[in-house]
Amino acid sequence: MFQTILSNILKRYSFQDLSLHYGVNLPDPHVNAALVKKANSQTAINGNYYELSNKNKFAKQSGEIASATLLNEDKAIVFKGRLGLLARLIAWLMSFVHAFMKKITDFFTNLLPKVPENFKKIAEILITVIITLLSVPFMILGIIANAFQMITKSRGGAAGMLLGIFTALLFFIFQMVMLLLGLIISPVVNKVVDSMLDTHYIKKMVIGYFTLQNNFNGTIVLSNNMVSTTQYEVRKNLLGSEKLYVVIQEGDEQASLADKYFWSFLIPYYFVNRQTIFVTNIENQHYFENIYN
């Protein structure tokens, strides 16, 4: 259901429209894609990367091996991780799905003005039904991919793996129920979405889509649009050596228990805040200090 509502909003409103409507400076996906290409020719800093969504304090983790490219003129950091085979496959699959569905949506959007005025209402309903039916298999693939990610990110040995499988199963059931509800409301979704645009949870989902969706096959772009603070902490690792934790915070709101354990689980892209943590050598701190000023 939520995915159907989100798709409808993204089809009818540009990110500029939504930035103005919600009073935030949402990241531009096209600009961020260009920053990824630019970062490929720049010198990178080695370290480890991880992120926490809808959490109030960051946890000390080693993270995945990654590099950070600082684009000072663009006020952005491009993180490039070393993804495993499964993670690369999931990232490629999701990129393919988004690109394919965008082409389908653009095709029908460009076709609609050519339909005679007397048949436009019928054409709009037919197009909505066709796009919805075409998107169902890809939505299911996305749900399965996210469930696999939950399992592969589980920590704590066998017990953690079992918990991850149980959580992934609940997630799959929830998302399938939401998908079915979305199919039910899809014929009338245009009539109800505008009235829901300012609903707290819909707003969080739309903002989260643009904030959390800057993943280009494992390369993450963090522009200054949503960044609120950047902090630095020095902590010791298991071997006793000190490491610098660069903690980049997006969003000022505190996540409630419902945000962390219910709404984040139920609503795709649900966003209250995000912390991006890059673990590197202490002497690299000065490179990060003025990136978002």
Side-chain angles (χ1 to χ4, degrees), residues 131-234:
I131 292 176
T132 301
L133 291 175
L134 286 174
S135 65
V136 167
F138 298 115
M139 288 181 180
I140 294 174
L141 279 175
I143 293 170
I144 294 172
N146 286 331
F148 267 116
Q149 284 183 318
M150 285 183 178
I151 296 172
T152 55
K153 289 182 179 180
S154 300
R155 299 178 182 273
M161 181 64 74
L162 288 174
L163 180 61
I165 293 172
F166 178 72
T167 304
L169 180 61
L170 287 179
F171 172 82
F172 180 80
I173 294 171
F174 264 127
Q175 292 300 319
M176 288 302 296
V177 171
M178 291 297 105
L179 177 58
L180 290 173
L181 288 175
L183 291 175
I184 293 171
I185 69 168
S186 60
V188 296
V189 72
N190 282 352
K191 297 180 180 179
V192 299
V193 161
D194 286 340
S195 64
M196 299 173 66
L197 203 59
D198 291 319
T199 304
H200 176 78
Y201 305 108
I202 301 301
K203 176 182 177 180
K204 293 294 184 186
M205 179 175 64
V206 174
I207 293 175
Y209 174 83
F210 288 96
T211 304
L212 305 175
Q213 208 37 22
N214 293 312
N215 189 324
F216 302 86
N217 287 335
T219 301
I220 312 296
V221 179
L222 199 64
S223 55
N224 71 325
N225 301 61
M226 298 288 292
V227 171
S228 52
T229 60
T230 304
Q231 298 178 333
Y232 311 93
E233 292 195 26
V234 176

Side-chain angles (χ1 to χ4, degrees), residues 41-288:
S41 62
Q42 305 284 334
T43 303
I45 298 171
N46 293 323
N48 294 73
Y49 164 93
Y50 65 97
E51 64 180 37
L52 301 170
S53 294
N54 305 326
K55 308 288 184 182
N56 296 328
K57 292 183 180 180
F58 89 90
K60 180 185 174 183
Q61 300 176 17
S62 59
E64 302 294 331
I65 296 174
S67 61
T69 303
L70 281 69
L71 303 175
N72 290 280
E73 292 181 0
D74 302 287
K75 297 184 177 180
I77 303 176
V78 177
F79 296 99
K80 188 172 184 179
R82 296 182 186 177
L83 297 179
L85 180 61
L86 178 60
R88 287 201 303 272
L89 179 62
I90 290 174
W92 175 85
L93 177 64
M94 298 312 294
S95 296
F96 171 78
V97 168
H98 285 299
F100 179 79
M101 289 309 302
K102 186 178 186 307
K103 286 184 178 180
I104 293 293
T105 303
D106 289 346
F107 171 78
F108 283 113
T109 301
N110 294 331
L111 186 66
L112 190 59
K114 300 175 184 178
V115 176
E117 197 66 35
N118 294 338
F119 297 99
K120 268 194 176 174
K121 290 292 182 184
I122 298 174
E124 286 178 359
I125 295 173
L126 286 174
I127 288 171
T128 300
V129 171
I130 291 170
I131 292 176
T132 301
L133 291 175
L134 286 174
S135 65
V136 167
F138 298 115
M139 288 181 180
I140 294 174
L141 279 175
I143 293 170
I144 294 172
N146 286 331
F148 267 116
Q149 284 183 318
M150 285 183 178
I151 296 172
T152 55
K153 289 182 179 180
S154 300
R155 299 178 182 273
M161 181 64 74
L162 288 174
L163 180 61
I165 293 172
F166 178 72
T167 304
L169 180 61
L170 287 179
F171 172 82
F172 180 80
I173 294 171
F174 264 127
Q175 292 300 319
M176 288 302 296
V177 171
M178 291 297 105
L179 177 58
L180 290 173
L181 288 175
L183 291 175
I184 293 171
I185 69 168
S186 60
V188 296
V189 72
N190 282 352
K191 297 180 180 179
V192 299
V193 161
D194 286 340
S195 64
M196 299 173 66
L197 203 59
D198 291 319
T199 304
H200 176 78
Y201 305 108
I202 301 301
K203 176 182 177 180
K204 293 294 184 186
M205 179 175 64
V206 174
I207 293 175
Y209 174 83
F210 288 96
T211 304
L212 305 175
Q213 208 37 22
N214 293 312
N215 189 324
F216 302 86
N217 287 335
T219 301
I220 312 296
V221 179
L222 199 64
S223 55
N224 71 325
N225 301 61
M226 298 288 292
V227 171
S228 52
T229 60
T230 304
Q231 298 178 333
Y232 311 93
E233 292 195 26
V234 176
R235 297 190 178 188
K236 290 184 178 181
N237 61 18
L238 293 174
L239 299 176
S241 60
E242 293 184 330
K243 287 290 185 179
L244 175 70
Y245 285 72
V246 182
V247 185
I248 303 168
Q249 173 91 16
E250 296 172 275
D252 294 319
E253 289 188 49
Q254 294 286 298
S256 65
L257 289 175
D259 289 330
K260 288 187 281 188
Y261 300 112
F262 184 73
W263 296 117
S264 298
F265 184 76
L266 183 64
I267 301 177
Y269 306 112
Y270 186 76
F271 175 83
V272 177
N273 59 49
R274 176 171 68 163
Q275 296 164 80
T276 299
I277 298 98
F278 189 65
V279 186
T280 186
N281 295 329
I282 297 173
E283 56 266 24
N284 290 329
Q285 178 171 336
H286 70 280
Y287 291 114
F288 294 88

Side-chain angles (χ1 to χ4, degrees), residues 8-58:
N8 183 273
I9 291 172
L10 297 177
K11 181 176 68 176
R12 297 167 59 207
Y13 297 93
S14 68
F15 91 94
Q16 293 97 334
D17 295 332
L18 293 168
S19 293
L20 185 63
H21 186 86
Y22 290 131
V24 296
N25 187 20
L26 295 171
D28 185 338
H30 299 292
V31 170
N32 285 351
L35 292 178
V36 171
K37 294 181 180 179
K38 183 176 180 180
N40 291 334
S41 62
Q42 305 284 334
T43 303
I45 298 171
N46 293 323
N48 294 73
Y49 164 93
Y50 65 97
E51 64 180 37
L52 301 170
S53 294
N54 305 326
K55 308 288 184 182
N56 296 328
K57 292 183 180 180
F58 89 90

